[in-house]
Amino acid sequence: MNKNREAIDRMNQCMNRLDRLYYIAARKLGVKDNSLLLYYVLNDGKAHSQKEISEEWLVPRTTLNTVVKEEIEKGYIRLETPGSTREKNIILTENGKIYAENLLCRVFAAEEQALERTMRECSPGFLKGLEVFTDYMQEEFQKEIFDREELPSGE
């Protein structure tokens, strides 16, 4: 196996481990992983549309719609229609803000401690490197896969 292949495999394993950590954390906190994600996104105090969350966080719209309905029923979020647009924004209610804060406080504490430890051990430039790698991956996937019409043989 060449050096690049090994490094890519290691990065993919790390990304999968991170996804799994959030999944397990959600379960331990008594929520579905997509509910945790919704509160994670909404906790910034800004209005977000379902379309925006779906596209930026890669959650299927149908899944997100189900989670939104469940959280509306609990009284933690509400929908607002800004101006003349059809797309509704998802907003935390006052009870939702309290719930989100209680739900996310340990997640945020764990993230911040892990990042502080990482920054002490590694160059702070590792984040920039990850962003650059992600941008290049997007460009290369676009060229090699997304823009090509032919399928591999056997498909």
Side-chain angles (χ1 to χ4, degrees), residues 31-141:
V31 298
K32 296 176 186 173
D33 54 331
N34 287 314
S35 296
L36 179 65
L37 174 70
L38 179 63
Y39 287 107
Y40 195 97
V41 173
L42 296 177
N43 196 59
D44 67 2
K46 300 175 187 171
H48 298 273
S49 71
Q50 287 188 44
K51 179 181 179 190
E52 174 190 328
I53 295 170
S54 178
E55 289 173 359
E56 291 180 10
W57 293 86
L58 305 177
V59 179
R61 288 199 62 173
T62 53
T63 301
L64 186 57
N65 191 45
T66 300
V67 172
V68 166
K69 285 179 182 177
E70 291 170 356
E71 301 310 308
I72 288 173
E73 287 178 18
K74 294 175 186 174
Y76 294 148
I77 64 172
R78 62 185 163 76
L79 299 178
E80 278 185 2
T81 307
S84 61
T85 182
R86 286 184 45 214
E87 193 66 38
K88 294 180 179 176
N89 285 331
I90 307 167
I91 311 287
L92 287 172
T93 62
E94 288 307 312
N95 284 341
K97 289 176 186 175
I98 295 166
Y99 178 75
E101 178 70 28
N102 289 330
L103 179 67
L104 295 170
C105 67
R106 291 191 291 167
V107 172
F108 290 165
E111 290 173 331
E112 288 168 19
Q113 285 300 312
L115 184 60
E116 282 181 28
R117 291 172 62 195
T118 302
M119 294 301 219
R120 282 194 303 266
E121 191 172 322
C122 302
S123 162
F126 95 96
L127 286 175
K128 178 66 176 167
L130 182 59
E131 291 169 340
V132 168
F133 175 75
T134 303
D135 290 343
Y136 287 155
M137 282 290 288
Q138 183 172 352
E139 289 175 18
E140 296 302 325
F141 267 65

